[in-house]
Amino acid sequence: MNGSAAHWIRSAIGVACAAAGGAAFAALPVGAAAPDFTTQAALGGKTFSFSLAQALKNGPVVLYFYPKAFTSGCTVEAHDFAEATPKFNALGATVVGMSNDDIDTLKKFSVEACRDKFAVAADAGGRITRQYDAKMMWGLDIADRVSYVISPQGKVVYVYASQNPDEHVKRTMAAVEALKAGAAR
């Protein structure tokens, strides 16, 4: 492919993303059963096996997909979730981030960006990302920026999809608070 064709393709992708507002084009709908999974994860630089079913026994789970560790938007989002994790925990919720980064990268990311506050899980090959319909639309084998709140019963109760990392924490926190308020009635 010559340089001008490659430039045209990159430009077309950029225009498509801008027209879409950066939002994900697909995600599991509210009310869907959240696909169960177990995968390697890192917290505080140490690896462990993360099980969604096990985490749901303790309360709701905020599962957020992000494209790539140590990129600017993903680092901002991780910092935001790290700051909010104590409040999520006080509401009984577990926070876990998910990307297709390898576990060694995530061990570092869990310390530097997540500040030892919450786990980040490895989705090598993108199987979990595809199950959650959180894959980038233009064929890259990476996750889009999609956040889910999953009830202890394993149902998706909230979905937020936007490439802008700024609103994910605020919106998922509001959903967890609403879930807790509904359970308290």
Side-chain angles (χ1 to χ4, degrees), residues 99-163:
S99 75
N100 74 343
D101 290 295
D102 62 67
I103 196 66
D104 287 331
T105 300
L106 293 177
K107 283 168 56 177
K108 293 176 196 147
F109 194 66
S110 74
V111 173
E112 294 175 31
C114 305
R115 301 175 177 162
D116 303 335
K117 299 285 188 181
F118 65 94
V120 281
D123 185 23
R127 178 184 60 84
I128 300 164
T129 301
R130 285 189 299 278
Q131 288 177 325
Y132 277 82
D133 210 3
K135 187 176 173 294
M136 284 275 190
M137 77 163 219
W138 51 82
L140 300 175
D141 194 24
I142 59 175
D144 207 340
R145 194 175 311 282
V146 181
S147 296
Y148 291 96
V149 175
I150 303 166
S151 74
Q153 295 75 33
K155 297 288 185 193
V156 173
V157 296
Y158 183 77
V159 181
Y160 180 66
S162 172
Q163 275 299 310

Coordinates of all heavy atoms in Angstrom, one line a residue, residues 99-163:
S99 N -8.1 -5.6 30.0 CA -7.5 -5.3 28.7 C -6.8 -6.6 28.2 O -6.7 -7.6 28.9 CB -6.5 -4.2 28.8 OG -5.3 -4.6 29.4
N100 N -6.3 -6.5 26.9 CA -5.6 -7.6 26.4 C -4.1 -7.5 26.6 O -3.3 -8.3 26.0 CB -5.9 -7.8 24.9 CG -5.2 -6.8 24.0 OD1 -4.7 -5.7 24.5 ND2 -5.1 -7.1 22.7
D101 N -3.7 -6.6 27.5 CA -2.3 -6.6 27.9 C -1.8 -7.9 28.6 O -2.6 -8.5 29.2 CB -2.0 -5.4 28.9 CG -2.2 -4.1 28.2 OD1 -1.4 -3.7 27.3 OD2 -3.1 -3.3 28.6
D102 N -0.5 -8.2 28.5 CA 0.0 -9.4 29.1 C 0.1 -9.1 30.6 O 0.1 -8.0 31.1 CB 1.3 -9.8 28.5 CG 2.4 -8.8 28.7 OD1 2.8 -8.5 29.9 OD2 2.9 -8.2 27.7
I103 N 0.2 -10.2 31.4 CA 0.1 -10.1 32.9 C 1.3 -9.4 33.4 O 1.2 -8.6 34.4 CB -0.1 -11.5 33.5 CG1 -0.5 -11.3 35.0 CG2 1.2 -12.3 33.4 CD1 -1.9 -10.7 35.2
D104 N 2.5 -9.5 32.8 CA 3.7 -8.7 33.3 C 3.4 -7.2 33.2 O 3.8 -6.5 34.1 CB 4.9 -9.1 32.5 CG 5.4 -10.5 33.0 OD1 5.1 -10.9 34.1 OD2 6.0 -11.2 32.1
T105 N 2.8 -6.8 32.1 CA 2.5 -5.3 31.9 C 1.5 -4.9 33.0 O 1.6 -3.9 33.6 CB 2.0 -5.1 30.5 OG1 3.0 -5.4 29.5 CG2 1.5 -3.6 30.3
L106 N 0.5 -5.8 33.2 CA -0.5 -5.4 34.2 C 0.0 -5.4 35.6 O -0.5 -4.7 36.4 CB -1.7 -6.4 34.0 CG -2.5 -6.2 32.7 CD1 -3.6 -7.2 32.6 CD2 -3.0 -4.8 32.5
K107 N 1.0 -6.2 35.9 CA 1.6 -6.2 37.2 C 2.1 -4.8 37.5 O 1.9 -4.2 38.6 CB 2.7 -7.3 37.4 CG 2.1 -8.7 37.6 CD 3.1 -9.7 37.4 CE 4.4 -9.7 38.3 NZ 5.3 -10.8 38.1
K108 N 2.8 -4.2 36.5 CA 3.4 -2.9 36.7 C 2.2 -1.8 36.7 O 2.2 -0.9 37.5 CB 4.3 -2.6 35.5 CG 5.6 -3.4 35.5 CD 6.4 -3.1 34.3 CE 7.4 -4.2 34.1 NZ 7.7 -4.5 32.7
F109 N 1.2 -2.0 35.8 CA 0.1 -1.1 35.7 C -0.7 -1.0 37.0 O -1.1 0.0 37.5 CB -0.8 -1.5 34.5 CG -1.8 -0.4 34.1 CD1 -1.4 0.8 33.6 CD2 -3.1 -0.7 34.2 CE1 -2.3 1.7 33.1 CE2 -4.1 0.3 33.8 CZ -3.7 1.5 33.3
S110 N -0.8 -2.2 37.6 CA -1.6 -2.3 38.9 C -1.0 -1.5 40.0 O -1.6 -1.0 40.9 CB -1.8 -3.8 39.3 OG -0.6 -4.3 39.8
V111 N 0.4 -1.3 40.0 CA 1.1 -0.5 41.0 C 1.1 1.0 40.5 O 0.7 1.8 41.3 CB 2.5 -1.1 41.2 CG1 3.3 -0.1 42.1 CG2 2.5 -2.5 41.7
E112 N 1.6 1.2 39.3 CA 1.8 2.6 38.9 C 0.6 3.4 38.6 O 0.5 4.5 39.0 CB 2.8 2.6 37.7 CG 4.2 2.1 38.0 CD 5.1 2.0 36.8 OE1 4.9 2.7 35.8 OE2 5.9 1.1 36.8
A113 N -0.4 2.8 37.9 CA -1.6 3.5 37.5 C -2.8 3.3 38.4 O -3.5 4.2 38.7 CB -1.9 3.2 36.0
C114 N -2.9 2.0 38.8 CA -4.0 1.6 39.7 C -3.7 1.9 41.2 O -4.6 1.7 42.0 CB -4.4 0.2 39.4 SG -4.7 -0.2 37.7
R115 N -2.5 2.2 41.5 CA -2.0 2.6 42.8 C -2.4 1.5 43.9 O -2.8 1.9 45.0 CB -2.6 3.9 43.1 CG -2.1 5.0 42.1 CD -2.7 6.3 42.3 NE -2.2 7.3 41.4 CZ -2.7 8.4 41.1 NH1 -3.8 8.8 41.6 NH2 -2.1 9.2 40.2
D116 N -2.3 0.3 43.5 CA -2.5 -0.9 44.4 C -4.0 -0.9 45.0 O -4.2 -1.5 46.0 CB -1.6 -0.8 45.6 CG -0.1 -0.9 45.2 OD1 0.2 -1.4 44.1 OD2 0.7 -0.4 46.0
K117 N -4.9 -0.2 44.3 CA -6.3 -0.1 44.8 C -7.3 -1.1 44.3 O -8.2 -1.5 44.9 CB -6.8 1.3 44.5 CG -6.0 2.4 45.2 CD -6.3 2.5 46.6 CE -5.6 3.8 47.2 NZ -5.8 3.9 48.6
F118 N -7.1 -1.5 43.0 CA -8.0 -2.5 42.4 C -7.2 -3.3 41.4 O -6.1 -3.0 41.0 CB -9.2 -1.7 41.7 CG -8.8 -0.9 40.5 CD1 -8.8 -1.4 39.2 CD2 -8.4 0.4 40.7 CE1 -8.4 -0.6 38.2 CE2 -8.0 1.2 39.6 CZ -8.0 0.7 38.3
A119 N -7.8 -4.4 41.1 CA -7.2 -5.4 40.2 C -7.4 -5.0 38.7 O -8.4 -4.4 38.3 CB -7.8 -6.8 40.4
V120 N -6.4 -5.4 37.9 CA -6.6 -5.4 36.4 C -6.4 -6.8 35.9 O -5.4 -7.5 36.3 CB -5.6 -4.3 35.8 CG1 -6.1 -2.9 36.0 CG2 -4.2 -4.4 36.4
A121 N -7.2 -7.2 35.0 CA -7.2 -8.6 34.5 C -6.8 -8.6 33.1 O -7.0 -7.7 32.3 CB -8.7 -9.1 34.6
A122 N -6.1 -9.8 32.8 CA -5.5 -10.0 31.4 C -6.5 -10.8 30.6 O -7.1 -11.8 31.0 CB -4.2 -10.8 31.6
D123 N -6.7 -10.3 29.4 CA -7.6 -11.0 28.5 C -6.8 -11.3 27.2 O -7.2 -10.8 26.1 CB -8.9 -10.1 28.2 CG -9.9 -10.8 27.3 OD1 -9.9 -12.1 27.2 OD2 -10.7 -10.1 26.6
A124 N -5.8 -12.1 27.3 CA -5.0 -12.5 26.2 C -5.9 -13.1 25.1 O -6.6 -14.0 25.5 CB -3.9 -13.4 26.6
G125 N -5.8 -12.7 23.9 CA -6.6 -13.2 22.8 C -8.0 -12.6 22.7 O -8.7 -12.8 21.8
G126 N -8.4 -11.8 23.7 CA -9.7 -11.1 23.6 C -10.9 -11.8 23.8 O -12.0 -11.3 23.5
R127 N -10.9 -13.1 24.3 CA -12.1 -13.9 24.5 C -13.1 -13.2 25.3 O -14.3 -13.1 25.0 CB -11.7 -15.3 25.1 CG -12.9 -16.2 25.3 CD -12.5 -17.5 26.0 NE -11.9 -17.3 27.3 CZ -12.6 -17.1 28.4 NH1 -13.9 -17.1 28.4 NH2 -11.9 -17.0 29.6
I128 N -12.7 -12.7 26.5 CA -13.7 -12.1 27.4 C -14.2 -10.8 26.8 O -15.4 -10.5 26.9 CB -13.0 -11.8 28.8 CG1 -12.6 -13.2 29.4 CG2 -14.0 -11.1 29.7 CD1 -11.6 -13.1 30.5
T129 N -13.3 -10.0 26.2 CA -13.7 -8.8 25.5 C -14.8 -9.0 24.5 O -15.8 -8.3 24.4 CB -12.5 -8.1 24.9 OG1 -11.6 -7.8 25.9 CG2 -12.9 -6.8 24.2
R130 N -14.7 -10.1 23.7 CA -15.7 -10.4 22.7 C -17.0 -10.9 23.4 O -18.1 -10.5 22.9 CB -15.2 -11.5 21.8 CG -14.1 -11.0 20.8 CD -13.8 -12.0 19.7 NE -13.2 -13.2 20.2 CZ -11.9 -13.4 20.5 NH1 -11.1 -12.3 20.4 NH2 -11.4 -14.5 21.0
Q131 N -16.9 -11.7 24.5 CA -18.1 -12.1 25.2 C -18.9 -10.9 25.7 O -20.1 -11.0 25.8 CB -17.8 -13.0 26.3 CG -17.3 -14.4 25.9 CD -16.9 -15.2 27.1 OE1 -16.3 -14.7 28.1 NE2 -17.1 -16.5 27.0
Y132 N -18.2 -9.9 26.1 CA -18.9 -8.7 26.6 C -19.2 -7.6 25.5 O -19.6 -6.5 25.8 CB -18.0 -8.0 27.7 CG -18.3 -8.7 29.0 CD1 -17.7 -9.9 29.4 CD2 -19.2 -8.2 29.9 CE1 -17.9 -10.5 30.6 CE2 -19.5 -8.8 31.1 CZ -18.8 -9.9 31.4 OH -19.1 -10.6 32.6
D133 N -18.9 -8.0 24.2 CA -19.2 -7.2 23.1 C -18.5 -5.8 23.3 O -19.1 -4.7 23.0 CB -20.7 -7.0 22.9 CG -21.0 -6.8 21.4 OD1 -20.1 -6.8 20.6 OD2 -22.2 -6.6 21.1
A134 N -17.2 -5.8 23.8 CA -16.5 -4.6 24.1 C -15.3 -4.4 23.2 O -14.4 -3.7 23.6 CB -16.1 -4.6 25.6
K135 N -15.3 -5.1 22.1 CA -14.1 -5.0 21.2 C -14.2 -3.8 20.3 O -15.3 -3.3 19.9 CB -14.1 -6.3 20.3 CG -12.9 -6.4 19.4 CD -13.0 -7.8 18.6 CE -12.0 -7.9 17.6 NZ -12.0 -7.0 16.5
M136 N -13.0 -3.2 20.0 CA -13.0 -2.0 19.1 C -13.7 -2.4 17.8 O -13.5 -3.5 17.3 CB -11.5 -1.6 18.8 CG -10.9 -0.9 19.9 SD -11.3 0.9 19.8 CE -10.1 1.5 21.0
M137 N -14.4 -1.5 17.2 CA -15.2 -1.8 16.0 C -14.4 -2.0 14.8 O -14.7 -2.7 13.9 CB -16.3 -0.8 15.8 CG -15.8 0.5 15.2 SD -17.1 1.4 14.5 CE -16.4 2.0 13.1
W138 N -13.2 -1.4 14.7 CA -12.5 -1.4 13.4 C -11.5 -2.5 13.2 O -10.6 -2.4 12.5 CB -11.9 0.0 13.1 CG -11.0 0.5 14.1 CD1 -9.8 0.2 14.4 CD2 -11.4 1.5 15.1 NE1 -9.3 1.0 15.5 CE2 -10.3 1.8 15.9 CE3 -12.6 2.2 15.3 CZ2 -10.4 2.7 17.0 CZ3 -12.6 3.1 16.4 CH2 -11.5 3.3 17.1
G139 N -11.8 -3.6 14.0 CA -11.0 -4.8 13.7 C -9.8 -5.0 14.5 O -9.1 -6.1 14.5
L140 N -9.3 -4.0 15.3 CA -8.2 -4.2 16.1 C -8.6 -5.2 17.2 O -9.7 -5.2 17.7 CB -7.8 -2.9 16.8 CG -7.4 -1.8 15.8 CD1 -7.1 -0.5 16.5 CD2 -6.2 -2.2 15.0
D141 N -7.6 -6.0 17.6 CA -7.9 -7.0 18.7 C -7.7 -6.4 20.1 O -6.9 -6.9 20.9 CB -7.0 -8.2 18.5 CG -7.5 -9.4 19.3 OD1 -8.7 -9.4 19.7 OD2 -6.7 -10.3 19.6
I142 N -8.3 -5.2 20.3 CA -8.2 -4.6 21.6 C -9.6 -4.1 22.1 O -10.5 -4.0 21.3 CB -7.3 -3.4 21.6 CG1 -7.7 -2.3 20.6 CG2 -5.8 -3.8 21.3 CD1 -6.9 -1.0 20.7
A143 N -9.7 -3.9 23.4 CA -11.0 -3.5 23.9 C -11.3 -2.1 23.6 O -10.4 -1.2 23.6 CB -11.0 -3.8 25.5
D144 N -12.6 -1.8 23.5 CA -13.1 -0.4 23.5 C -13.2 0.0 25.0 O -13.0 -0.8 25.9 CB -14.4 -0.4 22.8 CG -14.7 0.9 22.2 OD1 -14.1 1.9 22.5 OD2 -15.6 1.0 21.3
R145 N -13.5 1.3 25.2 CA -13.6 1.7 26.6 C -15.1 1.6 27.0 O -15.9 2.4 26.6 CB -13.2 3.2 26.7 CG -13.0 3.7 28.1 CD -12.4 5.1 28.2 NE -11.2 5.3 27.4 CZ -10.0 4.9 27.7 NH1 -9.7 4.3 28.8 NH2 -9.0 5.2 26.8
V146 N -15.4 0.5 27.7 CA -16.8 0.2 28.0 C -16.8 -0.2 29.5 O -16.0 -1.0 29.9 CB -17.4 -1.0 27.2 CG1 -18.8 -1.3 27.6 CG2 -17.3 -0.7 25.7
S147 N -17.7 0.4 30.3 CA -17.8 0.0 31.7 C -19.2 -0.6 32.0 O -20.2 -0.1 31.5 CB -17.7 1.3 32.6 OG -16.4 1.9 32.4
Y148 N -19.1 -1.7 32.8 CA -20.3 -2.4 33.2 C -20.5 -2.4 34.7 O -19.4 -2.5 35.4 CB -20.3 -3.9 32.8 CG -20.3 -4.1 31.3 CD1 -19.2 -4.2 30.5 CD2 -21.6 -4.2 30.6 CE1 -19.2 -4.5 29.2 CE2 -21.6 -4.4 29.3 CZ -20.5 -4.6 28.5 OH -20.5 -4.8 27.2
V149 N -21.7 -2.3 35.2 CA -22.0 -2.6 36.6 C -22.8 -3.9 36.5 O -23.8 -4.0 35.8 CB -22.7 -1.5 37.3 CG1 -23.1 -1.9 38.7 CG2 -21.9 -0.2 37.3
I150 N -22.3 -4.9 37.3 CA -22.9 -6.2 37.3 C -23.5 -6.5 38.7 O -22.8 -6.4 39.6 CB -21.9 -7.3 36.8 CG1 -21.3 -7.0 35.5 CG2 -22.6 -8.7 36.9 CD1 -20.1 -7.8 35.1
S151 N -24.8 -6.8 38.7 CA -25.4 -7.1 40.0 C -24.9 -8.4 40.6 O -24.4 -9.3 39.9 CB -26.9 -7.2 39.9 OG -27.3 -8.4 39.3
P152 N -25.0 -8.6 41.9 CA -24.6 -9.8 42.5 C -25.3 -11.1 41.9 O -24.8 -12.2 42.0 CB -25.0 -9.7 44.0 CG -25.0 -8.2 44.2 CD -25.5 -7.6 42.9
Q153 N -26.5 -10.8 41.3 CA -27.2 -11.9 40.6 C -26.6 -12.2 39.2 O -27.1 -13.1 38.5 CB -28.7 -11.6 40.5 CG -29.4 -11.5 41.8 CD -29.1 -10.2 42.6 OE1 -28.8 -9.1 42.0 NE2 -29.0 -10.3 43.9
G154 N -25.6 -11.5 38.8 CA -24.9 -11.8 37.5 C -25.6 -11.1 36.3 O -25.3 -11.4 35.2
K155 N -26.4 -10.1 36.6 CA -27.0 -9.3 35.5 C -26.4 -8.0 35.3 O -26.0 -7.3 36.2 CB -28.5 -9.1 35.8 CG -29.3 -10.4 35.9 CD -29.5 -11.0 34.6 CE -30.5 -12.2 34.7 NZ -30.5 -13.0 33.6
V156 N -26.3 -7.6 34.0 CA -25.8 -6.2 33.7 C -26.9 -5.2 34.1 O -28.0 -5.3 33.6 CB -25.5 -6.1 32.2 CG1 -25.1 -4.7 31.8 CG2 -24.4 -7.1 31.8
V157 N -26.5 -4.3 35.0 CA -27.5 -3.3 35.4 C -27.2 -1.9 34.9 O -28.0 -1.0 35.0 CB -27.6 -3.3 37.0 CG1 -28.2 -4.6 37.5 CG2 -26.3 -2.9 37.7
Y158 N -25.9 -1.8 34.4 CA -25.6 -0.5 33.8 C -24.4 -0.7 32.8 O -23.5 -1.5 33.0 CB -25.1 0.5 34.9 CG -24.8 1.9 34.4 CD1 -25.8 2.8 34.0 CD2 -23.4 2.2 34.2 CE1 -25.5 4.0 33.5 CE2 -23.1 3.5 33.6 CZ -24.1 4.4 33.3 OH -23.9 5.6 32.8
V159 N -24.5 0.1 31.7 CA -23.4 0.1 30.7 C -23.1 1.5 30.3 O -24.1 2.3 30.1 CB -23.9 -0.6 29.4 CG1 -22.8 -0.7 28.4 CG2 -24.4 -2.0 29.7
Y160 N -21.9 1.8 30.2 CA -21.4 3.1 29.7 C -20.3 2.9 28.8 O -19.3 2.3 29.1 CB -21.0 4.1 30.8 CG -20.6 5.4 30.3 CD1 -21.5 6.3 29.7 CD2 -19.3 5.9 30.4 CE1 -21.1 7.5 29.3 CE2 -18.9 7.1 30.0 CZ -19.8 7.9 29.4 OH -19.5 9.2 28.9
A161 N -20.4 3.4 27.5 CA -19.4 3.3 26.5 C -19.0 4.6 25.9 O -19.9 5.3 25.4 CB -19.9 2.4 25.4
S162 N -17.8 5.0 26.1 CA -17.2 6.2 25.6 C -15.7 6.2 25.6 O -15.1 5.7 26.6 CB -17.7 7.4 26.4 OG -17.0 8.6 26.0
Q163 N -15.1 6.6 24.5 CA -13.6 6.6 24.5 C -13.1 7.7 25.5 O -11.9 7.6 25.9 CB -13.1 6.9 23.1 CG -13.0 5.6 22.2 CD -12.0 4.6 22.9 OE1 -10.9 5.0 23.2 NE2 -12.5 3.4 23.0

